[in-house]
Amino acid sequence: MANEQAETSAETEAVRRDFIRDKVKADLAAGVHARIVTRFPPEPNGYLHIGHAKSICLNFGIAREFGGVCNLRMDDTNPTKEEVEYVESIQADVDWLIDAWAKEVKSPTVLFASDYFEQMYGYAVDLVRKGLAFVCDLNAEDFAKTRGTTTVPGTDSPFRDRAVEENLDLLERMRNGEFPDGAKTLRAKIDMASPNIHLRDPALYRIRNAHHHRTGNSWCIYPTYDFAHCLEDSIEGITHSLCTLEFEVHRPLYDWILDHLDVPKPQPRQTEFARLSLNYTVMSKRKLLQLVKDGHVAGWDDPRMPTISAFRRRGVPASAIRDFCETAGVTRYKSQTDLALLEHSIRQTLNPIAPRRFGVLHPIKVVLTNYPEGKTEELEAGNNPEDPDAGTRPLVFGREIFIDQDDFAEIPPPKFHRLKPGGEVRLKFGYIIKCEEVVKDASGEIEELRCTYDPESKRGGATAGRKVKGTIHWVEAAGAVDAEVRLYDRLFRVPEPDAGDANFIESLNPESLAVTHAKLEPSLAALPLGECVQFERLGYFCRDRDSSTDRHVFNRTISLRDSWGRQGTSG
Ligand code: ATP
Ligand code: MG
């Protein structure tokens, strides 16, 4: 174990190493497999979250590094919780997340476990014929009672010794819909005294008279996870079946089923790794569904959610999530990953690529009293100091502009280098201005600042080199785009909202969304969806899908710095 961690921290860009990749490499070297086949097998009962992203990056990443393929398989064996909406969102999210990075290794079509129902049933019949499975009439309650506990062995079902012929007949009649839900199960005949509870004659099929989103009413019996999963892997020729640690105790059953059936060799092998768990969030689909259903968020892709679709809507690049998953690493240790690590990956990814733009989130009007009325001019604004090829854009300047409330203080605190009465500040890419007068309305609210500008302070002018302490952003008033800007913060106030028995709803952060009416530079009206820009000095932003031609809605992807008291990384 200590070894695995050492390997993870020694991971370099060029050669990723972890215990799973080592195993894959060793299997290839030993000639166990000609080609690696992995899979990502979500159950379509919710949207994918950042934890799934880790599994996606691992499975597609391994296929990519070792010249294999990775199947996207819907594990749709439980008709009551699954929906087409989820199937579609999962496909879109996986495609977005792997993007060009692993497009090549993705199986050409999406696979569905439900397509194997007939084959799985055939395997069940084989087990019955071999005397390794039986139809049990115990109801769920009695089934549970006879199962024993971790310290007490279970007791055999009174139906355990049914003759093969009787079992075959009953199984067929189960399939034909002769019995109500819960009346019978098909169980493996293994060992009721096994120290591993999962081997105590586990259920393989249950009766569930329910409509399935793909197979309709063709089936009224459905395989359990344990029976289905190993067979799905086997049918698809999966070489390495990677799953999270809670399935470790299921592995003996995974192997038992395949070992006792006539399946192609080599059989798939299950390997477990620690699930990703992030602080300041909840990850289980059940809890995420509760947030959606009870209206605590605006939907599965509400940008405050930890879902992949929420990150996409919020403007987070797929490569930032992949980078984060790689940094989080693959280990067998259960640990909590700091949300700040994800935020760091997002800033690191966006800083070199996001074009710089001007947006004023809480506008105050500034009138430049000595600037000619009716005149405008074009200033040259740099697009990204981090990228020498990013070039410049023209920015219109005029007599009336907006600046941010935060950049003005009527009674400035010490060391306040922005605008104050009688003080000077530079407008980025433009002139130095001086605040001459603060105009207020009857209620004492600031209506506008009357300032003068120094015409010689523009680049190339006589006083261009004149130093003032502060430089602020601004937006010219006449051309400004009005926008609703949604500022998101962490959805939960506490690092572990669902620790123990805690009611996570009580830990929701009431300030996770703030909306402002902003003024943006004109080019932002045409920003394509999915593209992220930096509003200079403020953070990264993207246009939200709630926008239309005459309504502009922006999301804050992330602020420039971490405001949660950790060491910030500047953008
Ligand atoms: P949840 O527990 O959040 O409801 P799940 O495990 O039921 O999720 P599945 O759709 O069954 O969700 O998961 C698909 C794949 O993603 C599985 O292989 C599962 O092990 C993996 N996975 C799910 N959650 C995480 C996580 N937090 N970290 C890493 N892998 C995960
Ligand atoms: Mg699951």
Side-chain angles (χ1 to χ4, degrees):
M1 297 269 250
N3 219 359
E4 285 160 20
Q5 183 140 75
E7 282 170 11
T8 311
S9 56
E11 185 175 87
T12 64
E13 282 287 305
V15 193
R16 265 181 298 278
R17 287 201 65 186
D18 53 59
F19 71 104
I20 296 182
R21 286 175 166 90
D22 285 348
K23 191 172 156 67
V24 169
K25 213 176 293 172
D27 286 349
L28 280 173
V32 180
H33 309 285
R35 187 164 75 145
I36 299 301
V37 187
T38 56
R39 88 287 175 264
F40 172 64
E43 182 178 357
N45 62 350
Y47 280 58
L48 297 181
H49 52 61
I50 184 83
H52 293 115
K54 174 167 174 175
S55 177
I56 294 170
C57 290
L58 179 64
N59 282 294
F60 283 92
I62 285 179
R64 192 174 161 268
E65 285 154 48
F66 295 96
V69 290
C70 180
N71 293 348
L72 170 56
R73 176 209 307 153
M74 301 295 162
D75 198 3
D76 58 347
T77 55
N78 181 359
T80 55
K81 290 186 184 163
E82 296 162 5
E83 288 176 25
V84 175
E85 177 194 347
Y86 298 141
V87 170
E88 288 169 357
S89 75
I90 289 170
Q91 292 190 40
D93 288 348
V94 169
D95 285 341
W96 175 78
L97 183 62
I98 67 170
D99 126 58
W101 172 77
K103 207 180 191 147
E104 305 277 281
V105 301
K106 188 180 162 213
S107 55
T109 54
V110 177
L111 304 168
F112 292 86
S114 54
D115 286 347
Y116 316 141
F117 279 167
E118 193 62 52
Q119 227 171 324
M120 289 180 193
Y121 181 81
Y123 281 126
V125 170
D126 288 349
L127 283 182
V128 173
R129 285 218 175 91
K130 291 181 176 186
L132 294 173
F134 65 100
V135 172
C136 180
D137 298 1
L138 291 181
N139 60 28
E141 203 181 316
D142 292 333
F143 188 161
K145 269 189 215 151
T146 55
R147 230 181 159 199
T149 64
T150 43
T151 49
V152 179
T155 46
D156 285 358
S157 159
F159 307 97
R160 199 173 197 264
D161 293 323
R162 271 180 168 148
V164 168
E165 285 312 317
E166 188 186 356
N167 282 321
L168 285 174
D169 175 59
L170 288 171
L171 178 59
E172 194 179 330
R173 290 167 57 196
M174 277 168 69
R175 177 185 178 156
N176 291 342
E178 289 188 28
F179 308 112
D181 284 10
K184 292 188 179 349
T185 49
L186 181 73
R187 295 175 64 179
K189 200 189 275 188
I190 309 180
D191 179 7
M192 286 308 290
S194 170
N196 182 338
I197 286 193
H198 298 280
L199 293 179
R200 294 184 189 170
D201 294 2
L204 305 178
Y205 268 94
R206 296 202 175 91
I207 299 174
R208 199 153 284 174
N209 288 283
H211 182 89
H212 185 281
H213 68 101
R214 292 188 87 239
T215 57
N217 296 323
S218 313
W219 291 88
C220 59
I221 58 171
Y222 291 92
T224 57
Y225 172 88
D226 284 317
F227 187 60
H229 208 89
C230 56
L231 291 173
E232 294 161 25
D233 285 343
S234 170
I235 289 165
E236 292 178 11
I238 301 300
T239 56
H240 296 79
S241 179
L242 311 177
C243 61
T244 42
L245 282 176
E246 61 278 19
F247 291 100
E248 187 170 16
V249 286
H250 295 245
R251 182 169 8 115
L253 179 55
Y254 182 105
D255 290 337
W256 184 92
I257 293 168
L258 295 180
D259 288 346
H260 289 86
L261 285 169
D262 184 17
V263 295
K265 307 287 168 191
Q267 288 168 207
R269 292 280 168 221
Q270 176 181 305
T271 304
E272 309 84 19
F273 62 95
R275 63 170 42 230
L276 176 77
S277 138
L278 257 193
N279 60 13
Y280 293 98
T281 192
V282 297
M283 212 106 86
S284 108
K285 280 186 275 196
R286 183 177 59 77
K287 291 176 184 158
L288 297 177
L289 181 64
Q290 189 182 337
L291 290 173
V292 173
K293 284 228 161 118
D294 296 348
H296 298 292
V297 293
W300 283 97
D301 72 345
D302 182 304
R304 292 168 293 175
M305 290 280 273
T307 56
I308 296 180
S309 50
F311 286 116
R312 174 168 68 223
R313 180 169 174 192
R314 187 164 171 165
V316 172
S319 61
I321 296 180
R322 298 197 303 262
D323 176 76
F324 162 71
C325 290
E326 198 176 296
T327 312
V330 180
T331 68
R332 284 181 53 85
Y333 291 98
K334 284 187 192 159
S335 66
Q336 208 172 46
T337 303
D338 197 335
L339 185 59
L341 197 66
L342 171 60
E343 294 170 342
H344 178 72
S345 285
I346 298 170
R347 293 187 181 102
Q348 288 281 106
T349 306
L350 287 172
N351 184 36
I353 58 171
R356 274 41 172 180
R357 295 290 181 262
F358 279 172
V360 170
L361 296 186
H362 302 99
I364 332 184
K365 187 180 266 186
V366 170
V367 180
L368 303 173
T369 52
N370 62 337
Y371 193 92
E373 286 207 42
K375 175 182 164 175
T376 57
E377 65 187 294
E378 268 185 7
L379 301 175
E380 188 183 10
N383 282 332
N384 187 352
E386 303 289 324
D387 175 4
D389 298 326
T392 61
R393 67 191 186 284
L395 209 51
V396 171
F397 185 75
R399 184 178 151 91
E400 295 193 350
I401 61 172
F402 292 105
I403 66 168
D404 247 307
Q405 276 167 25
D406 282 353
D407 287 331
F408 174 75
E410 199 171 8
I411 303 163
K415 297 196 179 157
F416 184 82
H417 297 312
R418 289 158 277 167
L419 196 61
K420 54 194 167 198
E424 286 188 325
V425 80
R426 179 175 286 281
L427 298 175
K428 191 160 188 185
F429 305 122
Y431 301 92
I432 294 172
I433 61 169
K434 181 174 181 190
C435 179
E436 311 282 357
E437 188 189 348
V438 180
V439 181
K440 294 186 180 172
D441 64 15
S443 65
E445 290 289 310
I446 297 177
E447 234 168 26
E448 61 182 40
L449 304 177
R450 299 180 78 78
C451 299
T452 50
Y453 84 114
D454 172 357
E456 297 299 321
S457 62
K458 189 176 161 183
R459 195 179 302 172
T463 60
R466 183 154 72 84
K467 289 268 181 290
V468 289
K469 284 222 166 112
T471 299
I472 63 174
H473 61 277
W474 51 275
V475 168
E476 190 269 328
V481 172
D482 287 297
E484 171 184 331
V485 177
R486 298 174 181 168
L487 305 171
Y488 305 105
D489 202 344
R490 296 178 177 182
L491 189 53
F492 292 96
R493 288 179 282 114
V494 300
E496 294 185 63
D498 55 356
D501 293 333
N503 176 2
F504 67 102
I505 298 295
E506 284 168 11
S507 299
L508 282 165
N509 174 8
E511 277 147 33
S512 61
L513 171 62
V515 174
T516 75
H517 298 282
K519 299 281 184 182
L520 310 181
E521 69 168 79
S523 65
L524 290 169
L527 186 70
L529 285 184
E531 267 179 39
C532 204
V533 295
Q534 185 189 105
F535 287 2
E536 293 219 29
R537 303 176 61 232
L538 299 176
Y540 297 94
F541 293 78
C542 72
R543 214 170 137 78
D544 187 75
R545 64 164 167 73
D546 283 347
S547 302
S548 58
T549 40
D550 50 8
R551 178 174 180 224
H552 306 289
V553 181
F554 279 74
N555 299 315
R556 180 169 69 195
T557 309
I558 194 159
S559 58
L560 280 187
R561 278 167 205 89
D562 184 355
S563 59
W564 280 72
R566 281 182 195 75
Q567 200 198 343
T569 41
S570 87

